[in-house]
Amino acid sequence: MPVIKCPKVRDPPVHEWDRKAQKSGLRHTVYAVNGDQYTGEWQDNLKHGKGTQIWKSTGAIYSGDWKFGKRDGYGSYSVPDPVTKEYKKMYTGWWQNDRRGGRGMYFYSNGEQYDGEWSKGLRSGWGKMHYKDGSVYEGQWLKDKRNGQGILLLPNGNRYEGSWKDGKKHGPGKFFYLDKGQLLEGTWVADIPKCGALVDFGRDNASAPTEFPLPEIELHDPAAVLAEARALYDDNKN
């Protein structure tokens, strides 16, 4: 009987080409269709490990850790100055799922600076913010706003210590007017003090004290006051 040989089953050429195109391990610069370029490590055709990405549209550069195609781990993000074209670092720190997450420092274009914790690309947790007017806030944040306990130090030395909500003073707190030598301790609602007590505090060393000191408030025992009033009433009755 004649021997019939079956031809070997082979994958279509496109499958072979696809396997060769799959990127894994360290690769030289790979260019995307839109002009973006990436140099670094790959796994299963995704950026994974250490690598540097340059976006053609903005010129921005990210250099650091990647995880399955997304920035994840430690890395820095820089953008070119529109005038000098020199690169300025905007953020250095930790990333999670392609957004700022964990501890990191952000440099704003107006000169402000934040050093602290992030979550889903927003300031959340404990952090310190330097504002362009010279103010400094250090405390808790939630979704990019001061929220929780924190201290705001103003350029003239005055400061607020207490509770915050949605970026405003809210709840119990203390405001130190060091220029006047006074302390306001009370409760705030949406940045407005609603109730509290204002007392002199370090008035002798204040740079701009008020003309007259605040009178001291004498506190009495309610029972003693009632007894004194009763006695006075009895005397008047007689």
Side-chain angles (χ1 to χ4, degrees):
M1 293 181 64
V3 177
I4 300 176
K5 294 183 177 180
C6 297
K8 294 182 179 180
V9 178
R10 294 184 177 180
D11 292 336
V14 66
H15 291 179
E16 181 66 21
W17 300 336
D18 186 61
R19 280 193 293 269
K20 291 182 179 180
Q22 292 295 315
K23 295 177 284 293
S24 290
L26 182 62
R27 298 289 292 267
H28 293 297
T29 303
V30 176
Y31 293 87
V33 176
N34 61 1
D36 295 347
Q37 52 183 289
Y38 172 80
T39 305
E41 297 177 298
W42 297 78
Q43 180 175 318
D44 297 331
N45 215 33
L46 295 173
K47 302 161 195 167
H48 190 87
K50 300 288 184 180
T52 300
Q53 167 93 12
I54 302 177
W55 287 268
K56 182 180 179 180
S57 60
T58 61
I61 295 178
Y62 169 80
S63 182
D65 296 326
W66 296 78
K67 186 175 181 181
F68 300 119
K70 296 182 178 181
R71 292 168 290 185
D72 201 295
Y74 191 85
S76 61
Y77 180 81
S78 304
V79 296
D81 186 275
V83 179
T84 64
K85 305 303 180 183
E86 295 182 357
Y87 275 90
K88 292 184 177 181
K89 188 172 294 184
M90 288 192 66
Y91 177 77
T92 180
W94 292 91
W95 300 73
Q96 294 176 352
N97 197 29
D98 217 34
R99 292 187 286 186
R100 294 183 292 274
R103 182 68 183 269
M105 183 177 293
Y106 192 93
F107 303 89
Y108 295 84
S109 58
N110 62 359
E112 296 181 344
Q113 176 182 320
Y114 173 80
D115 182 9
E117 297 176 298
W118 299 79
S119 179
K120 297 181 179 180
L122 302 176
R123 293 167 290 183
S124 292
W126 191 271
K128 188 174 185 179
M129 182 76 185
H130 293 263
Y131 296 94
K132 61 181 179 180
D133 65 354
S135 302
V136 178
Y137 171 81
E138 183 172 6
Q140 294 175 300
W141 296 77
L142 181 64
K143 295 181 179 180
D144 243 12
K145 294 183 178 181
R146 297 182 291 238
N147 213 96
Q149 295 295 312
I151 300 175
L152 177 64
L153 179 62
L154 301 177
N156 62 1
N158 295 345
R159 71 179 187 272
Y160 170 81
E161 301 178 2
S163 300
W164 298 79
K165 183 179 180 181
D166 296 330
K168 298 180 179 181
K169 296 182 283 290
H170 192 92
K174 299 178 181 179
F175 202 108
F176 294 84
Y177 298 92
L178 298 184
D179 57 339
K180 299 183 180 300
Q182 294 179 332
L183 165 64
L184 173 61
E185 183 173 1
T187 301
W188 274 256
V189 176
D191 255 355
I192 300 175
K194 292 297 184 178
C195 63
L198 183 66
V199 297
D200 284 330
F201 178 81
R203 176 184 170 81
D204 295 338
N205 298 321
S207 59
T210 55
E211 184 176 359
F212 301 103
L214 292 171
E216 295 184 3
I217 300 176
E218 297 183 4
L219 298 178
H220 300 277
D221 181 9
V225 173
L226 182 60
E228 184 177 352
R230 186 181 296 276
L232 182 60
Y233 173 78
D234 293 339
D235 291 341
N236 292 334
K237 185 177 179 181
N238 296 329

